[in-house]
mmCIF file of all heavy atoms in Angstrom:
data_model
loop_
_atom_site.group_PDB
_atom_site.id
_atom_site.type_symbol
_atom_site.label_atom_id
_atom_site.label_comp_id
_atom_site.label_asym_id
_atom_site.label_seq_id
_atom_site.Cartn_x
_atom_site.Cartn_y
_atom_site.Cartn_z
ATOM 1 N N ARG G 219 25.551 -4.580 -6.758
ATOM 2 C CA ARG G 219 24.449 -4.093 -7.592
ATOM 3 C C ARG G 219 23.591 -5.260 -8.087
ATOM 4 O O ARG G 219 22.363 -5.190 -8.061
ATOM 5 C CB ARG G 219 24.992 -3.279 -8.756
ATOM 6 C CG ARG G 219 23.903 -2.711 -9.634
ATOM 7 C CD ARG G 219 24.489 -1.884 -10.771
ATOM 8 N NE ARG G 219 23.469 -1.469 -11.678
ATOM 9 C CZ ARG G 219 22.874 -0.302 -11.633
ATOM 10 N NH1 ARG G 219 23.206 0.574 -10.721
ATOM 11 N NH2 ARG G 219 21.954 0.009 -12.515
ATOM 12 N N ALA G 232 5.469 -4.789 -3.795
ATOM 13 C CA ALA G 232 5.626 -3.996 -5.004
ATOM 14 C C ALA G 232 6.644 -2.892 -4.730
ATOM 15 O O ALA G 232 6.579 -2.214 -3.708
ATOM 16 C CB ALA G 232 4.286 -3.392 -5.407
ATOM 17 N N TYR G 234 8.650 0.540 -6.456
ATOM 18 C CA TYR G 234 8.594 1.507 -7.552
ATOM 19 C C TYR G 234 9.584 2.639 -7.313
ATOM 20 O O TYR G 234 9.985 2.901 -6.178
ATOM 21 C CB TYR G 234 7.178 2.083 -7.713
ATOM 22 C CG TYR G 234 6.710 2.870 -6.508
ATOM 23 C CD1 TYR G 234 6.979 4.227 -6.373
ATOM 24 C CD2 TYR G 234 5.990 2.251 -5.493
ATOM 25 C CE1 TYR G 234 6.556 4.946 -5.272
ATOM 26 C CE2 TYR G 234 5.556 2.952 -4.395
ATOM 27 C CZ TYR G 234 5.841 4.304 -4.280
ATOM 28 O OH TYR G 234 5.415 5.015 -3.189
ATOM 29 N N PHE G 244 10.880 2.948 -12.557
ATOM 30 C CA PHE G 244 11.155 1.536 -12.300
ATOM 31 C C PHE G 244 9.950 0.932 -11.595
ATOM 32 O O PHE G 244 9.345 1.566 -10.736
ATOM 33 C CB PHE G 244 12.390 1.359 -11.403
ATOM 34 C CG PHE G 244 12.592 -0.064 -10.958
ATOM 35 C CD1 PHE G 244 13.256 -0.967 -11.761
ATOM 36 C CD2 PHE G 244 12.062 -0.513 -9.752
ATOM 37 C CE1 PHE G 244 13.411 -2.291 -11.375
ATOM 38 C CE2 PHE G 244 12.214 -1.835 -9.351
ATOM 39 C CZ PHE G 244 12.895 -2.719 -10.165
ATOM 40 N N GLU G 251 2.036 -7.318 -11.193
ATOM 41 C CA GLU G 251 1.056 -8.331 -10.807
ATOM 42 C C GLU G 251 -0.059 -7.726 -9.954
ATOM 43 O O GLU G 251 -1.232 -8.018 -10.156
ATOM 44 C CB GLU G 251 1.756 -9.451 -10.036
ATOM 45 C CG GLU G 251 0.852 -10.608 -9.700
ATOM 46 C CD GLU G 251 1.605 -11.728 -8.992
ATOM 47 O OE1 GLU G 251 2.787 -11.962 -9.304
ATOM 48 O OE2 GLU G 251 0.993 -12.349 -8.107
ATOM 49 N N TYR G 255 -1.236 -4.154 -14.627
ATOM 50 C CA TYR G 255 -0.611 -3.466 -15.761
ATOM 51 C C TYR G 255 0.677 -4.177 -16.159
ATOM 52 O O TYR G 255 1.363 -4.753 -15.317
ATOM 53 C CB TYR G 255 -0.257 -2.017 -15.408
ATOM 54 C CG TYR G 255 -1.444 -1.097 -15.328
ATOM 55 C CD1 TYR G 255 -1.996 -0.761 -14.099
ATOM 56 C CD2 TYR G 255 -1.992 -0.554 -16.475
ATOM 57 C CE1 TYR G 255 -3.082 0.098 -14.021
ATOM 58 C CE2 TYR G 255 -3.087 0.309 -16.411
ATOM 59 C CZ TYR G 255 -3.625 0.631 -15.177
ATOM 60 O OH TYR G 255 -4.704 1.472 -15.103
ATOM 61 N N LEU G 260 3.248 0.887 -17.322
ATOM 62 C CA LEU G 260 3.544 1.686 -16.133
ATOM 63 C C LEU G 260 4.720 2.633 -16.355
ATOM 64 O O LEU G 260 4.655 3.809 -15.979
ATOM 65 C CB LEU G 260 3.838 0.769 -14.937
ATOM 66 C CG LEU G 260 2.635 0.013 -14.369
ATOM 67 C CD1 LEU G 260 3.092 -1.032 -13.370
ATOM 68 C CD2 LEU G 260 1.648 0.974 -13.727
ATOM 69 N N ILE G 268 -2.431 4.537 -10.977
ATOM 70 C CA ILE G 268 -2.794 3.550 -9.948
ATOM 71 C C ILE G 268 -3.249 4.178 -8.626
ATOM 72 O O ILE G 268 -3.609 3.455 -7.710
ATOM 73 C CB ILE G 268 -1.624 2.572 -9.669
ATOM 74 C CG1 ILE G 268 -0.422 3.301 -9.074
ATOM 75 C CG2 ILE G 268 -1.266 1.792 -10.925
ATOM 76 C CD1 ILE G 268 0.625 2.370 -8.483
ATOM 77 N N ALA G 277 0.074 11.632 -0.584
ATOM 78 C CA ALA G 277 1.477 11.273 -0.819
ATOM 79 C C ALA G 277 2.328 12.525 -1.038
ATOM 80 O O ALA G 277 3.461 12.600 -0.548
ATOM 81 C CB ALA G 277 1.590 10.334 -2.015
ATOM 82 N N SER G 297 14.425 9.177 6.211
ATOM 83 C CA SER G 297 13.071 9.221 6.751
ATOM 84 C C SER G 297 12.146 8.502 5.791
ATOM 85 O O SER G 297 12.297 8.599 4.571
ATOM 86 C CB SER G 297 12.613 10.667 6.913
ATOM 87 O OG SER G 297 13.420 11.328 7.854
ATOM 88 N N ALA G 299 8.032 7.770 4.902
ATOM 89 C CA ALA G 299 6.620 8.075 5.109
ATOM 90 C C ALA G 299 5.826 6.791 4.919
ATOM 91 O O ALA G 299 6.106 6.001 4.011
ATOM 92 C CB ALA G 299 6.156 9.126 4.105
ATOM 93 N N ASP G 309 -8.278 -3.010 -13.836
ATOM 94 C CA ASP G 309 -9.690 -3.361 -14.019
ATOM 95 C C ASP G 309 -10.634 -2.501 -13.176
ATOM 96 O O ASP G 309 -11.839 -2.707 -13.166
ATOM 97 C CB ASP G 309 -9.928 -4.847 -13.745
ATOM 98 C CG ASP G 309 -9.673 -5.244 -12.292
ATOM 99 O OD1 ASP G 309 -9.462 -4.362 -11.431
ATOM 100 O OD2 ASP G 309 -9.680 -6.465 -12.006
ATOM 101 N N PRO G 314 -6.515 -2.365 -0.754
ATOM 102 C CA PRO G 314 -5.926 -1.605 0.354
ATOM 103 C C PRO G 314 -4.447 -1.974 0.486
ATOM 104 O O PRO G 314 -4.084 -3.150 0.461
ATOM 105 C CB PRO G 314 -6.738 -2.057 1.567
ATOM 106 C CG PRO G 314 -7.272 -3.399 1.198
ATOM 107 C CD PRO G 314 -7.440 -3.410 -0.291
ATOM 108 N N ASP G 317 1.703 2.047 1.805
ATOM 109 C CA ASP G 317 2.698 2.652 0.910
ATOM 110 C C ASP G 317 3.793 3.251 1.785
ATOM 111 O O ASP G 317 3.531 4.114 2.604
ATOM 112 C CB ASP G 317 2.029 3.742 0.071
ATOM 113 C CG ASP G 317 2.915 4.302 -1.032
ATOM 114 O OD1 ASP G 317 4.077 3.869 -1.157
ATOM 115 O OD2 ASP G 317 2.425 5.177 -1.781
ATOM 116 N N MET G 319 7.294 5.210 1.482
ATOM 117 C CA MET G 319 8.114 5.893 0.493
ATOM 118 C C MET G 319 9.150 6.777 1.161
ATOM 119 O O MET G 319 8.989 7.206 2.299
ATOM 120 C CB MET G 319 7.249 6.713 -0.453
ATOM 121 C CG MET G 319 6.524 7.853 0.183
ATOM 122 S SD MET G 319 5.575 8.733 -1.056
ATOM 123 C CE MET G 319 5.277 10.250 -0.186
ATOM 124 N N LEU G 321 12.686 9.598 -0.067
ATOM 125 C CA LEU G 321 13.332 10.338 -1.144
ATOM 126 C C LEU G 321 14.346 9.453 -1.848
ATOM 127 O O LEU G 321 15.002 8.635 -1.205
ATOM 128 C CB LEU G 321 14.044 11.572 -0.578
ATOM 129 C CG LEU G 321 13.169 12.562 0.179
ATOM 130 C CD1 LEU G 321 14.051 13.645 0.799
ATOM 131 C CD2 LEU G 321 12.129 13.177 -0.733
ATOM 132 N N ASP G 326 23.498 15.503 -5.050
ATOM 133 C CA ASP G 326 23.906 16.905 -4.925
ATOM 134 C C ASP G 326 22.930 17.738 -4.103
ATOM 135 O O ASP G 326 22.953 18.957 -4.151
ATOM 136 C CB ASP G 326 24.074 17.518 -6.312
ATOM 137 C CG ASP G 326 22.763 17.550 -7.084
ATOM 138 O OD1 ASP G 326 21.763 17.024 -6.574
ATOM 139 O OD2 ASP G 326 22.751 18.112 -8.199
ATOM 140 N N PHE G 329 16.201 17.298 -5.403
ATOM 141 C CA PHE G 329 15.146 16.292 -5.367
ATOM 142 C C PHE G 329 15.109 15.566 -6.709
ATOM 143 O O PHE G 329 15.012 16.193 -7.761
ATOM 144 C CB PHE G 329 13.802 16.965 -5.094
ATOM 145 C CG PHE G 329 12.631 16.048 -5.220
ATOM 146 C CD1 PHE G 329 12.471 14.978 -4.358
ATOM 147 C CD2 PHE G 329 11.681 16.249 -6.207
ATOM 148 C CE1 PHE G 329 11.392 14.125 -4.472
ATOM 149 C CE2 PHE G 329 10.595 15.407 -6.326
ATOM 150 C CZ PHE G 329 10.453 14.346 -5.455
ATOM 151 N N GLN G 342 -5.078 -8.785 5.770
ATOM 152 C CA GLN G 342 -5.038 -8.258 7.142
ATOM 153 C C GLN G 342 -6.342 -7.534 7.458
ATOM 154 O O GLN G 342 -6.913 -7.713 8.536
ATOM 155 C CB GLN G 342 -3.854 -7.303 7.278
ATOM 156 C CG GLN G 342 -3.775 -6.624 8.619
ATOM 157 C CD GLN G 342 -2.639 -5.599 8.669
ATOM 158 O OE1 GLN G 342 -1.766 -5.574 7.807
ATOM 159 N NE2 GLN G 342 -2.680 -4.758 9.668
ATOM 160 N N ILE G 348 -13.229 -9.803 10.383
ATOM 161 C CA ILE G 348 -13.733 -11.033 11.014
ATOM 162 C C ILE G 348 -13.648 -10.912 12.530
ATOM 163 O O ILE G 348 -14.605 -11.218 13.247
ATOM 164 C CB ILE G 348 -12.952 -12.263 10.507
ATOM 165 C CG1 ILE G 348 -13.320 -12.549 9.051
ATOM 166 C CG2 ILE G 348 -13.218 -13.482 11.385
ATOM 167 C CD1 ILE G 348 -12.432 -13.579 8.381
ATOM 168 N N ASN G 351 -16.326 -8.587 13.745
ATOM 169 C CA ASN G 351 -17.638 -9.239 13.683
ATOM 170 C C ASN G 351 -17.820 -10.210 14.849
ATOM 171 O O ASN G 351 -18.885 -10.255 15.473
ATOM 172 C CB ASN G 351 -17.808 -9.990 12.361
ATOM 173 C CG ASN G 351 -18.047 -9.074 11.192
ATOM 174 O OD1 ASN G 351 -18.260 -7.880 11.348
ATOM 175 N ND2 ASN G 351 -17.997 -9.637 9.993
ATOM 176 N N LEU G 353 -16.243 -10.208 17.763
ATOM 177 C CA LEU G 353 -16.315 -9.463 19.022
ATOM 178 C C LEU G 353 -17.707 -8.875 19.222
ATOM 179 O O LEU G 353 -18.296 -8.989 20.307
ATOM 180 C CB LEU G 353 -15.259 -8.357 19.034
ATOM 181 C CG LEU G 353 -15.197 -7.483 20.275
ATOM 182 C CD1 LEU G 353 -14.881 -8.334 21.508
ATOM 183 C CD2 LEU G 353 -14.149 -6.388 20.108
ATOM 184 N N ALA G 362 -28.219 -11.855 25.042
ATOM 185 C CA ALA G 362 -29.339 -12.661 24.528
ATOM 186 C C ALA G 362 -30.090 -13.314 25.673
ATOM 187 O O ALA G 362 -29.496 -13.737 26.667
ATOM 188 C CB ALA G 362 -28.808 -13.718 23.559
ATOM 189 N N THR G 365 -31.867 -19.278 24.070
ATOM 190 C CA THR G 365 -30.925 -20.012 23.207
ATOM 191 C C THR G 365 -31.247 -19.757 21.738
ATOM 192 O O THR G 365 -30.347 -19.767 20.895
ATOM 193 C CB THR G 365 -30.958 -21.520 23.510
ATOM 194 O OG1 THR G 365 -32.297 -21.986 23.373
ATOM 195 C CG2 THR G 365 -30.436 -21.811 24.896
ATOM 196 N N ALA G 369 -28.651 -18.633 18.896
ATOM 197 C CA ALA G 369 -28.529 -19.374 17.642
ATOM 198 C C ALA G 369 -28.719 -18.450 16.439
ATOM 199 O O ALA G 369 -27.981 -18.549 15.444
ATOM 200 C CB ALA G 369 -29.535 -20.518 17.602
ATOM 201 N N VAL G 375 -23.740 -14.182 12.193
ATOM 202 C CA VAL G 375 -22.291 -13.957 12.175
ATOM 203 C C VAL G 375 -21.624 -14.870 11.162
ATOM 204 O O VAL G 375 -20.769 -14.450 10.384
ATOM 205 C CB VAL G 375 -21.675 -14.157 13.582
ATOM 206 C CG1 VAL G 375 -20.164 -14.185 13.510
ATOM 207 C CG2 VAL G 375 -22.133 -13.056 14.504
ATOM 208 N N ALA G 376 -22.011 -16.126 11.151
ATOM 209 C CA ALA G 376 -21.414 -17.076 10.202
ATOM 210 C C ALA G 376 -21.706 -16.632 8.771
ATOM 211 O O ALA G 376 -20.824 -16.670 7.909
ATOM 212 C CB ALA G 376 -21.948 -18.479 10.447
ATOM 213 N N THR G 377 -22.926 -16.200 8.516
ATOM 214 C CA THR G 377 -23.307 -15.757 7.177
ATOM 215 C C THR G 377 -22.509 -14.515 6.758
ATOM 216 O O THR G 377 -22.078 -14.408 5.609
ATOM 217 C CB THR G 377 -24.816 -15.439 7.128
ATOM 218 O OG1 THR G 377 -25.536 -16.605 7.523
ATOM 219 C CG2 THR G 377 -25.254 -15.023 5.740
ATOM 220 N N ASP G 383 -21.177 -20.199 0.570
ATOM 221 C CA ASP G 383 -22.640 -20.247 0.379
ATOM 222 C C ASP G 383 -23.277 -21.013 1.518
ATOM 223 O O ASP G 383 -22.727 -21.948 2.034
ATOM 224 C CB ASP G 383 -22.990 -20.929 -0.944
ATOM 225 C CG ASP G 383 -22.526 -20.102 -2.142
ATOM 226 O OD1 ASP G 383 -22.400 -18.883 -1.993
ATOM 227 O OD2 ASP G 383 -22.311 -20.714 -3.215
#
Side-chain angles (χ1 to χ4, degrees):
R219 182 179 174 96
Y234 63 88
F244 172 84
E251 185 177 325
Y255 286 100
L260 289 170
I268 64 167
S297 296
D309 65 8
D317 188 359
M319 65 179 197
L321 302 174
D326 63 356
F329 172 65
Q342 176 184 346
I348 289 170
N351 286 351
L353 180 61
T365 56
V375 169
T377 303
D383 293 335

